[in-house]
Short mmCIF file of all heavy atoms in Angstrom, two decimals:
data_model
loop_
_atom_site.label_atom_id
_atom_site.label_comp_id
_atom_site.label_asym_id
_atom_site.label_seq_id
_atom_site.Cartn_x
_atom_site.Cartn_y
_atom_site.Cartn_z
N LYS A 839 -18.21 19.01 -8.12
CA LYS A 839 -17.33 19.64 -7.11
C LYS A 839 -17.60 19.20 -5.58
O LYS A 839 -16.77 19.38 -4.86
CB LYS A 839 -17.53 21.13 -7.23
CG LYS A 839 -17.08 21.80 -8.60
CD LYS A 839 -17.15 23.15 -8.58
CE LYS A 839 -16.63 23.80 -9.96
NZ LYS A 839 -16.74 25.16 -10.06
N ASN A 840 -18.75 18.64 -5.46
CA ASN A 840 -19.03 18.24 -4.05
C ASN A 840 -18.61 16.76 -3.74
O ASN A 840 -18.80 16.13 -2.76
CB ASN A 840 -20.58 18.18 -3.76
CG ASN A 840 -21.01 19.72 -3.70
OD1 ASN A 840 -20.30 20.63 -3.47
ND2 ASN A 840 -22.27 19.83 -4.34
N ALA A 841 -17.96 16.08 -4.76
CA ALA A 841 -17.49 14.77 -4.52
C ALA A 841 -16.31 14.57 -3.54
O ALA A 841 -15.43 15.56 -3.51
CB ALA A 841 -16.91 14.15 -5.86
N SER A 842 -16.32 13.71 -2.76
CA SER A 842 -15.26 13.39 -2.03
C SER A 842 -14.84 11.92 -1.96
O SER A 842 -15.51 11.13 -2.60
CB SER A 842 -15.69 13.62 -0.43
OG SER A 842 -16.62 12.91 -0.03
N TYR A 843 -13.74 11.47 -1.48
CA TYR A 843 -13.31 10.21 -1.47
C TYR A 843 -13.18 9.59 -0.04
O TYR A 843 -12.42 10.17 0.76
CB TYR A 843 -11.98 10.08 -2.20
CG TYR A 843 -12.18 10.20 -3.62
CD1 TYR A 843 -12.08 11.59 -4.17
CD2 TYR A 843 -12.28 9.22 -4.68
CE1 TYR A 843 -12.32 11.74 -5.55
CE2 TYR A 843 -12.47 9.36 -5.94
CZ TYR A 843 -12.57 10.62 -6.37
OH TYR A 843 -12.66 10.87 -7.80
N GLU A 844 -13.75 8.40 0.30
CA GLU A 844 -13.58 7.80 1.47
C GLU A 844 -12.51 6.73 1.34
O GLU A 844 -12.52 5.79 0.42
CB GLU A 844 -14.86 7.13 1.90
CG GLU A 844 -14.94 6.41 3.09
CD GLU A 844 -16.17 5.66 3.50
OE1 GLU A 844 -17.18 5.85 2.72
OE2 GLU A 844 -16.21 5.13 4.52
N ARG A 845 -11.66 6.65 2.24
CA ARG A 845 -10.57 5.62 2.32
C ARG A 845 -11.17 4.29 2.79
O ARG A 845 -11.59 4.40 4.01
CB ARG A 845 -9.32 6.20 3.14
CG ARG A 845 -8.13 5.23 3.01
CD ARG A 845 -7.04 5.85 3.78
NE ARG A 845 -6.02 4.93 3.74
CZ ARG A 845 -4.63 5.21 3.84
NH1 ARG A 845 -4.26 6.55 3.86
NH2 ARG A 845 -3.80 4.33 3.91
N LEU A 846 -10.98 3.37 2.10
CA LEU A 846 -11.57 2.06 2.36
C LEU A 846 -10.57 1.06 2.90
O LEU A 846 -10.84 0.05 3.56
CB LEU A 846 -12.29 1.38 1.26
CG LEU A 846 -13.48 2.28 0.54
CD1 LEU A 846 -14.01 1.43 -0.55
CD2 LEU A 846 -14.51 2.50 1.68
N GLY A 847 -9.25 1.25 2.48
CA GLY A 847 -8.23 0.29 2.91
C GLY A 847 -6.98 0.47 1.95
O GLY A 847 -6.67 1.55 1.52
N VAL A 848 -6.19 -0.53 1.98
CA VAL A 848 -4.83 -0.44 1.16
C VAL A 848 -4.70 -1.67 0.33
O VAL A 848 -5.40 -2.73 0.53
CB VAL A 848 -3.67 -0.34 2.14
CG1 VAL A 848 -3.75 1.03 2.90
CG2 VAL A 848 -3.70 -1.37 3.15
N ALA A 849 -3.68 -1.70 -0.54
CA ALA A 849 -3.47 -2.73 -1.39
C ALA A 849 -2.02 -2.85 -1.63
O ALA A 849 -1.18 -1.91 -1.43
CB ALA A 849 -4.12 -2.56 -2.82
N TRP A 850 -1.55 -4.23 -1.94
CA TRP A 850 -0.19 -4.50 -2.17
C TRP A 850 0.06 -5.12 -3.39
O TRP A 850 -0.86 -5.97 -3.92
CB TRP A 850 0.39 -5.48 -1.18
CG TRP A 850 0.52 -5.00 0.28
CD1 TRP A 850 1.59 -4.62 0.77
CD2 TRP A 850 -0.48 -4.93 1.31
NE1 TRP A 850 1.47 -4.30 2.24
CE2 TRP A 850 0.17 -4.37 2.50
CE3 TRP A 850 -1.72 -5.18 1.28
CZ2 TRP A 850 -0.51 -4.25 3.58
CZ3 TRP A 850 -2.54 -4.88 2.46
CH2 TRP A 850 -1.86 -4.40 3.62
N GLU A 851 1.09 -4.84 -4.26
CA GLU A 851 1.29 -5.47 -5.50
C GLU A 851 2.15 -6.61 -5.22
O GLU A 851 3.23 -6.57 -4.63
CB GLU A 851 1.98 -4.48 -6.56
CG GLU A 851 2.07 -5.13 -7.84
CD GLU A 851 2.55 -4.11 -8.96
OE1 GLU A 851 2.82 -3.05 -8.58
OE2 GLU A 851 2.76 -4.61 -9.98
N ASN A 852 1.78 -7.81 -5.77
CA ASN A 852 2.33 -9.01 -5.60
C ASN A 852 3.43 -9.24 -6.56
O ASN A 852 3.43 -8.52 -7.66
CB ASN A 852 1.43 -10.31 -5.63
CG ASN A 852 0.51 -10.32 -4.49
OD1 ASN A 852 0.87 -10.02 -3.27
ND2 ASN A 852 -0.72 -10.51 -4.67
N GLU A 853 4.39 -10.12 -6.57
CA GLU A 853 5.56 -10.28 -7.47
C GLU A 853 5.00 -10.65 -8.88
O GLU A 853 5.70 -10.40 -9.85
CB GLU A 853 6.41 -11.33 -6.85
CG GLU A 853 7.27 -10.95 -5.72
CD GLU A 853 8.24 -12.03 -5.15
OE1 GLU A 853 8.30 -13.08 -5.80
OE2 GLU A 853 8.74 -11.75 -4.12
N ASP A 854 3.77 -11.33 -8.80
CA ASP A 854 3.31 -11.81 -10.11
C ASP A 854 2.45 -10.79 -10.78
O ASP A 854 1.79 -10.98 -11.88
CB ASP A 854 2.56 -13.05 -9.95
CG ASP A 854 1.18 -12.97 -9.15
OD1 ASP A 854 1.03 -11.81 -8.62
OD2 ASP A 854 0.50 -14.01 -9.00
N GLY A 855 2.38 -9.58 -10.27
CA GLY A 855 1.61 -8.48 -10.81
C GLY A 855 0.14 -8.32 -10.34
O GLY A 855 -0.49 -7.37 -10.62
N SER A 856 -0.30 -9.35 -9.58
CA SER A 856 -1.72 -9.24 -8.99
C SER A 856 -1.62 -8.36 -7.75
O SER A 856 -0.67 -7.95 -7.28
CB SER A 856 -2.09 -10.61 -8.53
OG SER A 856 -1.24 -11.15 -7.44
N LEU A 857 -2.89 -7.96 -7.27
CA LEU A 857 -2.96 -7.00 -6.13
C LEU A 857 -3.79 -7.86 -5.07
O LEU A 857 -4.76 -8.55 -5.29
CB LEU A 857 -3.83 -5.89 -6.52
CG LEU A 857 -3.21 -4.90 -7.58
CD1 LEU A 857 -4.21 -3.86 -8.01
CD2 LEU A 857 -1.93 -4.23 -6.98
N TYR A 858 -3.22 -7.49 -3.91
CA TYR A 858 -3.93 -8.09 -2.60
C TYR A 858 -4.51 -6.82 -1.96
O TYR A 858 -3.83 -5.80 -1.61
CB TYR A 858 -3.00 -8.62 -1.67
CG TYR A 858 -3.45 -8.93 -0.32
CD1 TYR A 858 -4.40 -10.10 -0.10
CD2 TYR A 858 -3.37 -8.28 0.71
CE1 TYR A 858 -5.10 -10.40 1.02
CE2 TYR A 858 -3.93 -8.53 2.03
CZ TYR A 858 -4.78 -9.58 2.10
OH TYR A 858 -5.41 -9.85 3.35
N VAL A 859 -5.78 -6.89 -1.85
CA VAL A 859 -6.59 -5.74 -1.23
C VAL A 859 -7.05 -6.01 0.09
O VAL A 859 -7.67 -7.10 0.37
CB VAL A 859 -7.81 -5.26 -2.17
CG1 VAL A 859 -8.62 -4.13 -1.63
CG2 VAL A 859 -7.34 -4.99 -3.49
N LYS A 860 -6.82 -5.18 1.07
CA LYS A 860 -7.24 -5.39 2.49
C LYS A 860 -8.11 -4.13 2.83
O LYS A 860 -7.59 -3.15 2.92
CB LYS A 860 -6.01 -5.46 3.48
CG LYS A 860 -6.47 -5.46 4.83
CD LYS A 860 -5.68 -6.51 5.57
CE LYS A 860 -5.98 -6.61 7.08
NZ LYS A 860 -6.99 -7.49 7.37
N LEU A 861 -9.40 -4.42 3.09
CA LEU A 861 -10.32 -3.31 3.42
C LEU A 861 -10.35 -3.07 4.89
O LEU A 861 -10.23 -4.18 5.64
CB LEU A 861 -11.83 -3.75 2.93
CG LEU A 861 -11.81 -3.81 1.34
CD1 LEU A 861 -13.25 -4.19 1.02
CD2 LEU A 861 -11.34 -2.56 0.63
N HIS A 862 -10.60 -1.86 5.44
CA HIS A 862 -10.69 -1.63 6.89
C HIS A 862 -12.12 -2.05 7.24
O HIS A 862 -12.97 -1.45 6.58
CB HIS A 862 -10.33 -0.14 7.18
CG HIS A 862 -9.03 0.27 6.66
ND1 HIS A 862 -7.76 -0.29 7.16
CD2 HIS A 862 -8.58 1.18 5.80
CE1 HIS A 862 -6.89 0.23 6.54
NE2 HIS A 862 -7.26 1.20 5.68
N GLY A 863 -12.26 -2.75 8.32
CA GLY A 863 -13.53 -3.09 8.80
C GLY A 863 -14.43 -3.83 7.73
O GLY A 863 -13.95 -4.58 6.99
N THR A 864 -15.72 -3.84 7.93
CA THR A 864 -16.70 -4.51 6.94
C THR A 864 -17.27 -3.41 6.09
O THR A 864 -18.10 -2.63 6.57
CB THR A 864 -17.75 -5.22 7.91
OG1 THR A 864 -17.12 -6.08 8.76
CG2 THR A 864 -18.74 -6.00 6.96
#
Side-chain angles (χ1 to χ4, degrees):
K839 292 182 180 181
N840 294 327
S842 63
Y843 288 85
E844 178 182 1
R845 186 175 176 152
L846 301 176
V848 292
W850 290 260
E851 186 172 358
N852 296 316
E853 291 177 8
D854 64 358
S856 65
L857 295 172
Y858 171 74
V859 177
K860 174 129 174 94
L861 302 176
H862 303 297
T864 303

